[in-house]
Amino acid sequence: GESVGLHLPTLSVQEGDNSIINCAYSNSASDYFIWYKQESGKGPQFIIDIRSNMDKRQGQRVTVLLNKTVKHLSLQIAATQPGDSAVYFCAENYREAGGTSYGKLTFGQGTILTVHP
Amino acid sequence: DGGITQSPKYLFRKEGQNVTLSCEQNLNHDAMYWYRQDPGQGLRLIYYSQIVNDFQKGDIAEGYSVSREKKESFPLTVTSAQKNPTAFYLCASSIDSAYYGYTFGSGTRLTVV
């Protein structure tokens, strides 16, 4: 089946650096992508989303870039802080073979971000 | 405050037992979902419900059952048929099935003893 995957399972950065977390997806019919942050022992928290008719979206300290040509998604975190240490997941909307979506998301493996003071 | 509550936070199951994980939301969301998370892996969909009294199997439904008798509640039963139930279980909800911005609960960690 189609899936979402990540290039880097772990990323270590120094406090204040910018972080970039990458994600590859294979379902060309996906039209919505989300980044989640998950801290240890907790449920994922929504960070930012982007629709396929956009190639960039900015939030507070975070930017998501979408390259549909190569099916690549990235999350950029500016001035990374120790509180940003967590597992980051990308997810894409899941569509049935006929194109129907039931709100199901397909999640990637996750990237562990560690920020050193 | 509106939110989604999972209980218990930790649950231990003996071999051959059925256990039920609770998921309650007061967000007035129509759609609810159960995901399983294993160490170092992403989330895998167990069951989902788009509306009350309706639910569908996800990718790994074998050994699990659900009910959706009320809009607010979507309990998950892990049956004895589930051979490897030890995992972190996450419940989520969204306004409706056309919207993908899930709100997640804090999870239940199930361990077989």
Side-chain angles (χ1 to χ4, degrees):
Chain A
E2 307 226 7
S3 64
V4 176
L6 294 173
H7 293 306
L8 299 174
T10 62
L11 178 64
S12 293
V13 300
Q14 290 296 126
E15 182 178 2
D17 288 351
N18 295 334
S19 302
I20 299 176
I21 301 171
N22 297 302
C23 177
Y25 66 95
S26 57
N27 189 344
S28 57
S30 293
D31 60 5
Y32 183 77
F33 305 88
I34 306 176
W35 280 100
Y36 284 95
K37 172 186 179 182
Q38 186 179 26
E39 297 177 8
S40 181
K42 298 182 179 180
Q45 293 176 288
F46 173 92
I47 301 173
I48 193 167
D49 59 0
I50 188 168
R51 295 198 176 274
S52 60
N53 61 353
M54 304 172 68
D55 53 20
K56 180 179 180 179
R57 190 164 189 222
Q58 288 184 295
Q60 187 177 13
R61 283 201 307 118
V62 294
T63 300
V64 55
L65 299 177
L66 176 62
N67 185 331
K68 294 181 288 294
T69 301
V70 296
K71 297 178 185 172
H72 184 266
L73 191 70
S74 69
L75 176 70
Q76 300 178 1
I77 305 174
T80 315
Q81 303 167 1
D84 294 326
S85 294
V87 178
Y88 289 81
F89 293 96
C90 63
E92 62 177 322
N93 73 303
Y94 178 90
R95 292 190 177 275
E96 303 290 342
T100 302
S101 175
Y102 298 100
K104 295 187 289 183
L105 292 175
T106 300
F107 287 82
Q109 180 183 6
T111 292
I112 301 172
L113 175 64
T114 302
V115 182
H116 301 283
Chain B
D1 287 337
I4 184 166
T5 302
Q6 290 186 242
S7 62
K9 188 171 179 64
Y10 299 96
L11 186 58
F12 298 90
R13 192 195 92 166
K14 294 182 179 179
E15 295 282 351
Q17 273 187 340
N18 291 353
V19 290
T20 297
L21 284 60
S22 171
C23 179
E24 302 278 334
Q25 53 98 0
N26 60 3
L27 299 165
N28 201 33
H29 285 176
D30 282 327
M32 297 187 74
Y33 308 85
W34 274 105
Y35 282 87
R36 170 180 171 140
Q37 185 176 30
D38 292 284
Q41 298 187 31
L43 283 63
R44 293 183 290 167
L45 181 65
I46 305 173
Y47 268 97
Y48 64 102
S49 169
Q50 297 174 270
I51 199 166
V52 176
N53 293 321
D54 182 62
F55 51 83
Q56 286 80 39
K57 293 181 179 180
D59 301 319
I60 55 166
E62 185 176 351
Y64 300 97
S65 66
V66 293
S67 63
R68 187 84 188 277
E69 297 176 1
K70 298 186 300 182
K71 187 175 186 178
E72 302 80 18
S73 179
F74 192 40
L76 173 74
T77 296
V78 184
T79 75
S80 57
Q82 171 50 240
K83 299 306 179 187
N84 185 24
T86 295
F88 190 49
Y89 290 87
L90 287 159
C91 180
S93 69
S94 64
I95 295 173
D96 58 44
S97 58
Y99 178 68
Y100 315 108
Y102 292 0
T103 298
F104 278 92
S106 56
T108 292
R109 187 166 300 281
L110 174 63
T111 304
V112 175
V113 295

